[in-house]
Amino acid sequence: MPTASSPVVVSVVVDDGLVGGFGLGVVAEFFGYDRRAMGLPLFDFAMVAPVPGVVRTDTGIPVLVEHGLERLAVSDIVLVTAWELVDAVPPPELLDGLRAAHARGATIISSCTGAFVLAEAGLLDGQRATTHWRFAGELAARYPAVHVDPAVLYVDNGQVVTGAGTAAGVDTLLHLVRREWGTSAANALAREMVVPPHRDGGQAQFIDAPVARCEDDLLGVVLDWARAHLAEDISVPLLARRALMSPRSFARRFKATTGTTPHAWLLAQRLAAAEALLEDSDAPVEEIARLVGFGTAAGLREQFGRRRGVSPRAYRQTFRPAAGSAGTSAVQLHGHGPGAGRVRGDEAGVHAGLGQPA
């Protein structure tokens, strides 16, 4: 970064119809104001475009861009907030500008689908990176040299930082401020923006992890029974007996039909049922653990932390902030099927893992 006597030159890449309005606003909030009273340097902030002039955001809002891509040659920080049409190939001059900026030491940051632009430029090859969980599978398939982690809020590789979707842009840039200018500056800026200086967990708590479907009629009956009896001690031999098979044959047929193991399927069902009860009931964690088959609150907390990156209590506070304020509601599993009331995560083509910022 430049010395205290010179401004930090920050450029955000926009293109007509391809830049997200929210992401652009987040970047402007961080770098578009004089924040020196908070311990930040002076920023020379501007938008750049392959063709300067009036461009429109993804929602059609017109924005006047005064600078072309030549500004990348003097930028200390270059941001690609989003590339809303991931099939749109970035222009060669943009890719060349990003490579040149990287080669001379500029910090390159992407948010959401902006990772596709960095990947196209080759800046993520051999690196761990993230993007919005919905597009993580596509990023991994299109750029196999990139190690895509869909569960975290951001990945810091030093000179290149990738952030997850939408509001995770705030987490990513707060991390950058903390890294470059210290915790006090990051905390002061977070207070100014009325956001937490650090969010627990990662994208994993927001992904509705896909639960394998069963198209086999015989297995389907057995699995319907299992969903209705999650509180019981369910084993592969028990399920195999209900399917009139040997445990080995059952496990083989289960994997061939659903693409997963009985244990993984059952764990996913129990986690989904626990999520639904945390969102829709005031039941204590101990009671939810018993109802979904984890037995103890400790067992539920351990699995929830491992698979979702947060505690059950933090998950409830996030998705049901008024929990407990309206009295205790009836607790039951009926109607709390996996993914009830949330967007399916099947499009991502990935499974959620640990959800801690990297």
Side-chain angles (χ1 to χ4, degrees), residues 225-226 228-235 238 266 270 290-293:
W225 175 87
H229 296 80
L230 291 176
E232 300 181 16
D233 183 13
I234 301 175
S235 64
L238 174 62
L266 187 59
R270 283 174 164 153
R290 184 190 66 78
L291 285 169
V292 302

Side-chain angles (χ1 to χ4, degrees), residues 105-254:
T107 299
I108 314 294
I109 303 171
S110 71
S111 180
C112 197
T113 49
F116 283 79
V117 179
L118 303 195
E120 185 68 24
L123 300 183
L124 301 181
D125 286 356
Q127 302 285 335
R128 185 163 160 259
T130 194
T131 186
H132 190 293
W133 61 264
R134 187 182 298 278
F135 299 101
E138 177 65 22
L139 182 66
R142 192 179 300 183
Y143 302 100
V146 181
H147 307 299
V148 180
D149 187 341
V152 295
L153 294 173
Y154 51 80
V155 174
D156 183 350
N157 288 314
Q159 198 180 337
V160 178
V161 182
T162 53
T166 316
V170 175
D171 301 283
T172 305
L173 294 184
L174 280 174
H175 167 74
L176 178 74
V177 169
R178 189 180 304 111
R179 187 188 82 177
E180 296 294 332
W181 298 291
T183 299
S184 294
N187 290 346
L189 184 53
R191 283 193 295 270
E192 183 76 8
M193 296 176 64
V194 199
V195 296
H198 176 78
R199 276 200 294 170
D200 292 331
Q203 292 197 86
Q205 60 184 308
F206 302 102
I207 301 172
D208 187 14
V211 177
R213 297 181 178 88
C214 181
E215 304 297 338
D216 185 302
D217 289 340
L218 178 58
L219 286 182
V221 171
V222 175
L223 300 190
D224 285 344
W225 175 87
R227 289 189 191 97
H229 296 80
L230 291 176
E232 300 181 16
D233 183 13
I234 301 175
S235 64
V236 172
L238 174 62
L239 295 175
R241 285 197 300 273
R242 296 191 71 87
L244 305 178
M245 301 179 193
S246 69
R248 179 174 296 182
S249 296
F250 176 81
R252 184 167 54 246
R253 184 165 172 177
F254 192 102

Side-chain angles (χ1 to χ4, degrees), residues 2 22 27 45 48 96 102 115 157 163 168 183 200 213 238 243 266 274 287 292 333 354 357:
F22 182 86
V27 172
F45 172 71
V48 303
D96 290 341
H102 180 267
N157 288 314
T183 299
D200 292 331
R213 297 181 178 88
L238 174 62
L266 187 59
E287 177 67 3
V292 302
L333 287 178
L354 290 176

Side-chain angles (χ1 to χ4, degrees), residues 208-214 223 227 254 258 260 264-273 275 308 337-339 344-346 350-351:
D208 187 14
V211 177
R213 297 181 178 88
C214 181
L223 300 190
R227 289 189 191 97
F254 192 102
T258 68
T260 189
W265 179 90
L266 187 59
L267 177 60
Q269 296 290 335
R270 283 174 164 153
L271 283 170
E275 287 176 342
R308 297 296 185 262
R344 292 289 307 172
D346 304 64
V350 296
H351 292 282

Side-chain angles (χ1 to χ4, degrees), residues 260-303:
T260 189
T261 65
H263 179 268
W265 179 90
L266 187 59
L267 177 60
Q269 296 290 335
R270 283 174 164 153
L271 283 170
E275 287 176 342
L277 289 171
L278 287 167
E279 294 176 27
D280 300 336
S281 81
D282 296 326
V285 171
E286 291 78 6
E287 177 67 3
I288 291 175
R290 184 190 66 78
L291 285 169
V292 302
F294 286 116
T296 66
L300 174 58
R301 291 189 186 101
E302 192 272 334
Q303 289 296 339

